[in-house]
PDB file of all heavy atoms in Angstrom:
ATOM      1  N   LYS A  10       1.963  24.818   8.287  1.00  0.00           N
ATOM      2  CA  LYS A  10       0.749  25.659   8.358  1.00  0.00           C
ATOM      3  C   LYS A  10      -0.377  24.826   7.731  1.00  0.00           C
ATOM      4  O   LYS A  10      -0.457  24.687   6.512  1.00  0.00           O
ATOM      5  CB  LYS A  10       1.001  26.931   7.534  1.00  0.00           C
ATOM      6  CG  LYS A  10      -0.089  27.953   7.579  1.00  0.00           C
ATOM      7  CD  LYS A  10       0.289  29.168   6.743  1.00  0.00           C
ATOM      8  CE  LYS A  10       0.455  28.805   5.285  1.00  0.00           C
ATOM      9  NZ  LYS A  10       1.075  29.853   4.483  1.00  0.00           N
ATOM     10  N   ARG A  56       3.397  22.425   1.631  1.00  0.00           N
ATOM     11  CA  ARG A  56       3.037  23.804   1.238  1.00  0.00           C
ATOM     12  C   ARG A  56       4.359  24.592   1.176  1.00  0.00           C
ATOM     13  O   ARG A  56       5.187  24.285   0.345  1.00  0.00           O
ATOM     14  CB  ARG A  56       2.030  24.386   2.232  1.00  0.00           C
ATOM     15  CG  ARG A  56       0.737  23.607   2.220  1.00  0.00           C
ATOM     16  CD  ARG A  56      -0.318  24.228   3.081  1.00  0.00           C
ATOM     17  NE  ARG A  56      -0.682  25.562   2.618  1.00  0.00           N
ATOM     18  CZ  ARG A  56      -1.536  26.349   3.244  1.00  0.00           C
ATOM     19  NH1 ARG A  56      -2.108  25.949   4.358  1.00  0.00           N
ATOM     20  NH2 ARG A  56      -1.830  27.548   2.759  1.00  0.00           N
ATOM     21  N   SER A  57       4.565  25.544   2.083  1.00  0.00           N
ATOM     22  CA  SER A  57       5.857  26.247   2.064  1.00  0.00           C
ATOM     23  C   SER A  57       6.921  25.471   2.846  1.00  0.00           C
ATOM     24  O   SER A  57       8.032  25.966   3.056  1.00  0.00           O
ATOM     25  CB  SER A  57       5.710  27.653   2.643  1.00  0.00           C
ATOM     26  OG  SER A  57       4.986  28.457   1.752  1.00  0.00           O
ATOM     27  N   ARG A  76       4.120  20.252  -4.233  1.00  0.00           N
ATOM     28  CA  ARG A  76       3.952  21.498  -3.506  1.00  0.00           C
ATOM     29  C   ARG A  76       2.523  21.962  -3.820  1.00  0.00           C
ATOM     30  O   ARG A  76       2.230  22.313  -4.988  1.00  0.00           O
ATOM     31  CB  ARG A  76       5.006  22.504  -4.033  1.00  0.00           C
ATOM     32  CG  ARG A  76       5.176  23.735  -3.195  1.00  0.00           C
ATOM     33  CD  ARG A  76       4.094  24.744  -3.451  1.00  0.00           C
ATOM     34  NE  ARG A  76       4.437  25.981  -2.790  1.00  0.00           N
ATOM     35  CZ  ARG A  76       3.762  26.524  -1.799  1.00  0.00           C
ATOM     36  NH1 ARG A  76       2.666  25.926  -1.340  1.00  0.00           N
ATOM     37  NH2 ARG A  76       4.142  27.647  -1.272  1.00  0.00           N
ATOM     38  N   ALA A  77       1.637  21.902  -2.841  1.00  0.00           N
ATOM     39  CA  ALA A  77       0.266  22.349  -3.061  1.00  0.00           C
ATOM     40  C   ALA A  77       0.285  23.873  -3.086  1.00  0.00           C
ATOM     41  O   ALA A  77       0.128  24.536  -2.074  1.00  0.00           O
ATOM     42  CB  ALA A  77      -0.642  21.834  -1.946  1.00  0.00           C
ATOM     43  N   GLY A  78       0.544  24.416  -4.244  1.00  0.00           N
ATOM     44  CA  GLY A  78       0.687  25.853  -4.393  1.00  0.00           C
ATOM     45  C   GLY A  78       1.484  26.164  -5.640  1.00  0.00           C
ATOM     46  O   GLY A  78       1.772  25.263  -6.441  1.00  0.00           O
ATOM     47  N   ALA A  79       1.869  27.419  -5.759  1.00  0.00           N
ATOM     48  CA  ALA A  79       2.522  27.855  -7.005  1.00  0.00           C
ATOM     49  C   ALA A  79       4.046  27.826  -6.917  1.00  0.00           C
ATOM     50  O   ALA A  79       4.716  27.186  -7.725  1.00  0.00           O
ATOM     51  CB  ALA A  79       2.048  29.254  -7.342  1.00  0.00           C
ATOM     52  N   GLY A  80       4.594  28.528  -5.909  1.00  0.00           N
ATOM     53  CA  GLY A  80       6.050  28.691  -5.822  1.00  0.00           C
ATOM     54  C   GLY A  80       6.713  27.438  -5.282  1.00  0.00           C
ATOM     55  O   GLY A  80       6.272  26.887  -4.285  1.00  0.00           O
ATOM     56  N   ASN A 103      -4.432  28.331  -6.099  1.00  0.00           N
ATOM     57  CA  ASN A 103      -4.685  29.234  -4.970  1.00  0.00           C
ATOM     58  C   ASN A 103      -4.598  30.714  -5.369  1.00  0.00           C
ATOM     59  O   ASN A 103      -4.549  31.591  -4.512  1.00  0.00           O
ATOM     60  CB  ASN A 103      -3.729  28.924  -3.803  1.00  0.00           C
ATOM     61  CG  ASN A 103      -2.260  29.048  -4.198  1.00  0.00           C
ATOM     62  OD1 ASN A 103      -1.942  29.711  -5.176  1.00  0.00           O
ATOM     63  ND2 ASN A 103      -1.368  28.439  -3.433  1.00  0.00           N
ATOM     64  N   ARG A 225       7.387  36.674  -2.836  1.00  0.00           N
ATOM     65  CA  ARG A 225       8.335  36.153  -1.853  1.00  0.00           C
ATOM     66  C   ARG A 225       9.142  37.320  -1.314  1.00  0.00           C
ATOM     67  O   ARG A 225       9.559  38.189  -2.079  1.00  0.00           O
ATOM     68  CB  ARG A 225       9.305  35.152  -2.491  1.00  0.00           C
ATOM     69  CG  ARG A 225       8.692  33.835  -2.913  1.00  0.00           C
ATOM     70  CD  ARG A 225       8.302  32.969  -1.721  1.00  0.00           C
ATOM     71  NE  ARG A 225       7.738  31.700  -2.136  1.00  0.00           N
ATOM     72  CZ  ARG A 225       6.439  31.485  -2.370  1.00  0.00           C
ATOM     73  NH1 ARG A 225       5.555  32.450  -2.216  1.00  0.00           N
ATOM     74  NH2 ARG A 225       6.021  30.290  -2.750  1.00  0.00           N
ATOM     75  N   LYS A 272       2.593  33.481   6.248  1.00  0.00           N
ATOM     76  CA  LYS A 272       2.212  33.673   4.850  1.00  0.00           C
ATOM     77  C   LYS A 272       0.727  33.345   4.701  1.00  0.00           C
ATOM     78  O   LYS A 272       0.309  32.223   4.935  1.00  0.00           O
ATOM     79  CB  LYS A 272       3.072  32.774   3.960  1.00  0.00           C
ATOM     80  CG  LYS A 272       2.989  33.152   2.518  1.00  0.00           C
ATOM     81  CD  LYS A 272       4.250  32.815   1.760  1.00  0.00           C
ATOM     82  CE  LYS A 272       4.104  33.195   0.295  1.00  0.00           C
ATOM     83  NZ  LYS A 272       3.628  34.548   0.033  1.00  0.00           N
ATOM     84  N   ALA A 275      -2.548  32.230   0.529  1.00  0.00           N
ATOM     85  CA  ALA A 275      -3.311  31.051   0.114  1.00  0.00           C
ATOM     86  C   ALA A 275      -4.119  30.461   1.251  1.00  0.00           C
ATOM     87  O   ALA A 275      -4.628  29.348   1.134  1.00  0.00           O
ATOM     88  CB  ALA A 275      -2.352  30.001  -0.435  1.00  0.00           C
TER      89      ALA A 275
HETATM   90  C1  3PG B   1       2.284  29.684  -3.177  1.00  0.00           C
HETATM   91  O1  3PG B   1       3.426  29.723  -3.638  1.00  0.00           O
HETATM   92  O2  3PG B   1       1.400  28.953  -3.655  1.00  0.00           O
HETATM   93  C2  3PG B   1       1.901  30.614  -2.051  1.00  0.00           C
HETATM   94  O3  3PG B   1       3.000  31.301  -1.602  1.00  0.00           O
HETATM   95  C3  3PG B   1       1.175  29.921  -0.915  1.00  0.00           C
HETATM   96  O4  3PG B   1       2.013  29.345   0.037  1.00  0.00           O
HETATM   97  P1  3PG B   1       1.411  28.503   1.266  1.00  0.00           P
HETATM   98  O5  3PG B   1       0.805  27.269   0.721  1.00  0.00           O
HETATM   99  O6  3PG B   1       2.571  28.239   2.165  1.00  0.00           O
HETATM  100  O7  3PG B   1       0.383  29.343   1.930  1.00  0.00           O
END
Side-chain angles (χ1 to χ4, degrees):
K10 185 179 63 192
R56 297 186 62 184
S57 289
R76 193 280 190 245
N103 59 21
R225 291 289 181 271
K272 194 151 179 50

